[in-house]
Amino acid sequence: MKKLLAYPLLLGSALLSINALGNVAPAWQIDDISKSTGYTTDGENAANHQFGLVKHSNTCGSDELYVSWSSNSSDIWSLAGQTVTMDANFDGISMSIPLEVVAIRPTAGNTHEVIMGHVFANAELLDLMAHSDAVNMFMPATSDVSHHFTKGNDRFSLAGFNEARAKALSRCNSKSS
């Protein structure tokens, strides 16, 4: 009788272990974007804010920065193709990042999602992300475009970044073959 009880317990323990290993980066989402692979994390202060990177098929070794920010500005369309410089703070290390507005999508009501990118992360930035707990992104109040954005700052956890990047690389490589 004791042997019969042990098998379901062992099987249950094994399934829990597999589930825990499969969910390596719960804060990060891995998404297919056409033939590319995006890996992003949501902001803590606003529902429509995301920070992450994109790996493009056949250039999987490179990582393009991806920032999605919300806007309820009636003239948001004037930003299409413009450069928006955001400030980033990685656990006390600050830098400015010029991002190009690559897409604007209506979401609900008067709200729009502004997608920015076209900047590739270098090895130093990727290393900084790998060793930081979080990044705080700021839309400088002195910026000519800050009035277009609903909230000027957000915090993004970088917990699980290394695992998400490895998973995105694997998925990108499988699409490229």
XYZ file of all heavy atoms in Angstrom, residues 77-130:
401
model
N 0.160 61.618 -33.664
C 0.597 61.193 -34.992
C 1.739 62.062 -35.524
O 2.480 61.632 -36.415
C -0.584 61.173 -35.957
C -1.640 60.210 -35.490
C -2.808 60.526 -34.852
C -1.614 58.797 -35.572
N -3.516 59.378 -34.542
C -2.794 58.302 -34.977
C -0.706 57.879 -36.100
C -3.086 56.944 -34.888
C -1.003 56.525 -36.017
C -2.178 56.071 -35.422
N 1.920 63.240 -34.976
C 3.021 64.109 -35.429
C 4.389 63.535 -35.035
O 5.405 63.971 -35.563
C 2.858 65.516 -34.856
O 3.015 65.497 -33.448
N 4.404 62.559 -34.137
C 5.673 61.965 -33.704
C 6.160 60.833 -34.614
O 7.283 60.360 -34.453
C 5.557 61.423 -32.274
C 5.477 62.447 -31.160
C 5.488 61.761 -29.811
C 6.634 63.433 -31.247
N 5.350 60.382 -35.548
C 5.751 59.265 -36.417
C 7.092 59.560 -37.078
O 7.284 60.613 -37.684
C 4.679 59.017 -37.470
N 8.046 58.633 -36.905
C 9.371 58.777 -37.501
C 10.309 59.704 -36.754
O 11.475 59.816 -37.123
N 9.833 60.377 -35.720
C 10.660 61.316 -34.946
C 11.547 60.554 -33.952
O 11.264 59.418 -33.589
C 9.772 62.290 -34.165
C 8.872 63.135 -35.023
C 9.646 64.128 -35.873
O 10.601 64.734 -35.429
N 9.224 64.263 -37.117
N 12.588 61.211 -33.484
C 13.441 60.651 -32.440
C 12.996 61.193 -31.094
O 12.820 62.406 -30.936
C 14.921 61.003 -32.689
O 15.320 60.425 -33.941
C 15.811 60.486 -31.577
N 12.803 60.284 -30.160
C 12.432 60.638 -28.791
C 13.573 60.174 -27.892
O 13.921 58.990 -27.883
C 11.106 59.941 -28.375
C 10.797 60.173 -26.912
C 9.961 60.408 -29.262
N 14.175 61.087 -27.166
C 15.262 60.726 -26.264
C 14.699 60.497 -24.870
O 14.061 61.381 -24.297
C 16.352 61.816 -26.242
O 16.866 61.965 -27.571
C 17.482 61.445 -25.300
N 14.929 59.289 -24.372
C 14.496 58.942 -23.014
C 15.736 58.756 -22.155
O 16.800 58.381 -22.650
C 13.665 57.658 -23.032
C 12.367 57.804 -23.808
S 11.300 56.353 -23.651
C 10.653 56.614 -21.996
N 15.591 59.033 -20.871
C 16.668 58.788 -19.920
C 16.415 57.445 -19.259
O 15.268 57.094 -18.952
C 16.722 59.891 -18.866
C 17.171 61.226 -19.447
O 17.850 61.215 -20.497
O 16.842 62.267 -18.858
N 17.496 56.692 -19.062
C 17.405 55.385 -18.424
C 18.366 55.352 -17.244
O 19.479 55.878 -17.330
C 17.753 54.287 -19.419
N 17.916 54.744 -16.153
C 18.753 54.588 -14.973
C 18.745 53.116 -14.589
O 17.721 52.576 -14.185
C 18.243 55.452 -13.822
C 19.154 55.382 -12.625
O 19.382 54.314 -12.069
N 19.680 56.524 -12.217
N 19.901 52.476 -14.743
C 20.089 51.067 -14.406
C 20.806 50.991 -13.063
O 22.021 51.133 -13.010
C 20.923 50.355 -15.471
C 20.280 50.288 -16.825
C 20.445 51.310 -17.739
C 19.517 49.187 -17.186
C 19.867 51.242 -18.996
C 18.927 49.116 -18.438
C 19.097 50.141 -19.345
N 20.062 50.846 -11.987
C 20.643 50.719 -10.640
C 21.713 51.779 -10.374
O 22.801 51.487 -9.893
C 21.232 49.324 -10.421
C 20.174 48.233 -10.364
O 18.981 48.561 -10.258
O 20.545 47.044 -10.420
N 21.428 53.035 -10.721
C 22.334 54.137 -10.431
C 23.216 54.562 -11.590
O 23.914 55.567 -11.499
N 23.216 53.826 -12.686
C 23.991 54.202 -13.863
C 23.018 54.781 -14.881
O 22.113 54.092 -15.349
C 24.758 52.999 -14.444
C 25.737 52.475 -13.396
C 25.472 53.390 -15.734
C 26.442 51.199 -13.777
N 23.201 56.066 -15.198
C 22.257 56.783 -16.053
C 22.806 57.009 -17.452
O 24.014 57.159 -17.642
C 21.915 58.141 -15.441
O 21.264 57.959 -14.214
N 21.890 57.043 -18.407
C 22.250 57.344 -19.794
C 21.016 57.843 -20.524
O 19.891 57.612 -20.094
C 22.802 56.095 -20.485
C 21.793 54.971 -20.627
S 22.494 53.456 -21.304
C 23.582 52.978 -19.984
N 21.248 58.541 -21.616
C 20.171 58.963 -22.505
C 20.141 58.022 -23.695
O 21.195 57.649 -24.219
C 20.397 60.394 -22.985
O 20.274 61.284 -21.912
N 18.927 57.654 -24.117
C 18.777 56.725 -25.229
C 17.854 57.353 -26.274
O 16.666 57.549 -26.017
C 18.187 55.382 -24.747
C 19.060 54.769 -23.654
C 18.014 54.424 -25.918
C 18.492 53.513 -23.029
N 18.395 57.689 -27.452
C 17.552 58.224 -28.530
C 16.844 57.067 -29.235
O 17.486 56.149 -29.731
C 18.553 58.911 -29.453
C 19.842 58.189 -29.215
C 19.807 57.668 -27.797
N 15.527 57.108 -29.260
C 14.719 56.051 -29.869
C 13.858 56.642 -30.971
O 13.326 57.742 -30.823
C 13.818 55.397 -28.817
C 14.533 54.720 -27.648
C 13.579 54.494 -26.491
C 15.132 53.409 -28.116
N 13.707 55.912 -32.051
C 12.857 56.370 -33.149
C 11.441 55.829 -32.953
O 11.257 54.660 -32.605
C 13.406 55.876 -34.482
C 12.616 56.374 -35.670
C 13.167 55.871 -36.992
O 14.393 55.650 -37.087
O 12.364 55.701 -37.930
N 10.451 56.682 -33.169
C 9.058 56.244 -33.128
C 8.813 55.441 -34.401
O 8.827 55.982 -35.504
C 8.086 57.440 -33.021
C 6.645 56.963 -33.098
C 8.335 58.219 -31.730
N 8.608 54.124 -34.231
C 8.459 53.242 -35.388
C 7.006 52.868 -35.657
O 6.671 52.430 -36.762
C 9.328 51.975 -35.253
C 10.801 52.345 -35.269
C 8.981 51.186 -34.012
N 6.131 53.027 -34.650
C 4.710 52.712 -34.850
C 3.875 53.427 -33.800
O 4.338 53.681 -32.681
C 4.473 51.208 -34.763
N 2.661 53.741 -34.173
C 1.673 54.310 -33.248
C 0.384 53.535 -33.483
O -0.068 53.415 -34.623
C 1.446 55.816 -33.504
C 2.762 56.583 -33.334
C 0.364 56.356 -32.571
C 2.694 58.034 -33.796
N -0.156 52.978 -32.410
C -1.380 52.172 -32.531
C -2.450 52.696 -31.590
O -2.201 52.871 -30.399
C -1.110 50.732 -32.121
C -0.201 49.981 -32.999
C -0.139 48.539 -32.538
N 1.180 48.016 -32.809
C 1.702 46.958 -32.259
N 1.034 46.285 -31.375
N 2.898 46.554 -32.588
N -3.657 52.891 -32.096
C -4.769 53.217 -31.197
C -5.051 51.999 -30.306
O -4.981 50.862 -30.776
C -5.943 53.475 -32.138
C -5.349 53.634 -33.498
C -4.056 52.903 -33.497
N -5.334 52.226 -29.023
C -5.657 51.102 -28.131
C -7.115 51.175 -27.708
O -7.932 50.435 -28.205
C -4.710 51.043 -26.923
O -4.686 52.305 -26.268
C -3.299 50.675 -27.347
N -7.462 52.095 -26.820
C -8.846 52.234 -26.369
C -9.145 53.714 -26.152
O -8.315 54.446 -25.608
C -9.065 51.461 -25.075
N -10.311 54.130 -26.578
C -10.683 55.538 -26.413
C -9.690 56.438 -27.128
O -9.379 56.237 -28.289
N -9.160 57.418 -26.391
C -8.180 58.359 -26.957
C -6.739 57.930 -26.709
O -5.812 58.697 -26.965
C -8.394 59.755 -26.361
C -9.718 60.344 -26.789
O -10.218 60.040 -27.869
N -10.295 61.174 -25.935
N -6.534 56.718 -26.190
C -5.194 56.266 -25.836
C -4.509 55.581 -27.018
O -5.152 54.870 -27.785
C -5.259 55.297 -24.633
O -5.935 55.949 -23.558
C -3.875 54.899 -24.165
N -3.216 55.828 -27.139
C -2.413 55.228 -28.196
C -1.185 54.576 -27.584
O -0.672 55.027 -26.548
C -1.956 56.294 -29.200
C -3.078 56.918 -29.946
N -3.844 57.934 -29.431
C -3.576 56.653 -31.172
C -4.771 58.272 -30.300
N -4.627 57.517 -31.376
N -0.694 53.541 -28.254
C 0.563 52.907 -27.887
C 1.614 53.417 -28.868
O 1.442 53.303 -30.082
C 0.438 51.388 -27.991
C 1.731 50.654 -27.742
C 1.616 49.157 -28.006
O 0.706 48.724 -28.749
O 2.455 48.429 -27.474
N 2.678 53.997 -28.325
C 3.767 54.518 -29.146
C 4.942 53.548 -29.001
O 5.448 53.339 -27.901
C 4.178 55.939 -28.701
C 5.302 56.473 -29.569
C 2.967 56.877 -28.727
N 5.339 52.956 -30.123
C 6.417 51.967 -30.107
C 7.679 52.617 -30.648
O 7.679 53.206 -31.731
C 6.037 50.729 -30.939
C 4.789 50.094 -30.332
C 7.192 49.731 -30.999
C 4.156 49.043 -31.178
N 8.745 52.502 -29.845
C 10.016 53.133 -30.190
C 11.131 52.094 -30.245
O 11.120 51.130 -29.478
C 10.347 54.213 -29.162
C 9.328 55.348 -29.143
S 9.540 56.487 -27.760
C 8.611 55.646 -26.483
N 12.060 52.288 -31.147
C 13.170 51.352 -31.291
C 14.204 51.877 -32.250
O 14.509 53.068 -32.263
N 14.732 50.964 -33.096
C 15.763 51.238 -34.104
C 17.106 51.602 -33.485
O 17.915 52.274 -34.128
C 15.324 52.308 -35.107
C 14.354 51.774 -36.112
N 13.951 52.503 -37.178
C 13.701 50.597 -36.224
C 13.095 51.803 -37.905
N 12.928 50.639 -37.331
N 17.345 51.167 -32.249
C 18.648 51.337 -31.612
C 19.075 49.954 -31.125
O 18.322 49.280 -30.419
C 18.575 52.310 -30.409
C 19.890 52.336 -29.650
C 18.193 53.699 -30.873
N 20.261 49.537 -31.538
C 20.741 48.218 -31.130
C 21.600 48.342 -29.878
O 22.440 49.242 -29.773
C 21.508 47.546 -32.271
C 20.586 47.040 -33.340
C 20.147 47.882 -34.352
C 20.113 45.738 -33.296
C 19.270 47.427 -35.325
C 19.225 45.271 -34.263
C 18.806 46.119 -35.285
N 21.363 47.449 -28.939
C 22.107 47.441 -27.676
C 23.505 46.892 -27.924
O 23.659 45.852 -28.563
C 21.370 46.588 -26.654
N 24.515 47.595 -27.408
C 25.880 47.090 -27.517
C 26.166 46.148 -26.341
O 25.342 45.986 -25.438
C 26.898 48.240 -27.598
C 26.876 49.129 -26.375
O 26.444 48.749 -25.295
N 27.360 50.361 -26.542
N 27.331 45.515 -26.369
C 27.685 44.528 -25.336
C 27.672 45.140 -23.936
O 27.257 44.489 -22.974
C 29.058 43.933 -25.650
N 28.099 46.382 -23.813
C 28.146 47.026 -22.499
C 26.738 47.235 -21.938
O 26.496 47.023 -20.753
C 28.892 48.369 -22.572
C 30.371 48.255 -22.848
C 30.723 48.040 -24.324
O 29.824 48.185 -25.197
O 31.888 47.710 -24.596
N 25.804 47.654 -22.790
C 24.431 47.849 -22.331
C 23.795 46.515 -21.952
O 23.119 46.406 -20.930
C 23.589 48.569 -23.385
C 22.124 48.815 -23.012
C 21.991 49.603 -21.707
C 21.410 49.535 -24.146
N 24.015 45.489 -22.759
C 23.464 44.169 -22.442
C 24.027 43.644 -21.127
O 23.304 43.057 -20.316
C 23.734 43.188 -23.584
C 22.977 43.480 -24.878
C 23.516 42.627 -26.017
C 21.478 43.283 -24.691
N 25.328 43.871 -20.887
C 25.944 43.457 -19.626
C 25.341 44.231 -18.454
O 25.090 43.666 -17.389
C 27.462 43.660 -19.698
C 28.171 43.102 -18.478
O 28.065 41.876 -18.243
O 28.820 43.896 -17.753
N 25.110 45.518 -18.657
C 24.490 46.341 -17.617
C 23.087 45.824 -17.288
O 22.709 45.707 -16.119
C 24.434 47.801 -18.085
C 23.897 48.833 -17.118
C 24.720 48.870 -15.839
C 23.880 50.209 -17.777
N 22.322 45.486 -18.316
C 20.979 44.942 -18.102
C 21.046 43.606 -17.375
O 20.237 43.332 -16.487
C 20.256 44.782 -19.441
C 19.932 46.111 -20.092
S 19.284 45.945 -21.762
C 17.687 45.229 -21.423
N 22.017 42.782 -17.726
C 22.152 41.457 -17.118
C 22.492 41.536 -15.631
O 22.161 40.626 -14.872
C 23.215 40.649 -17.855
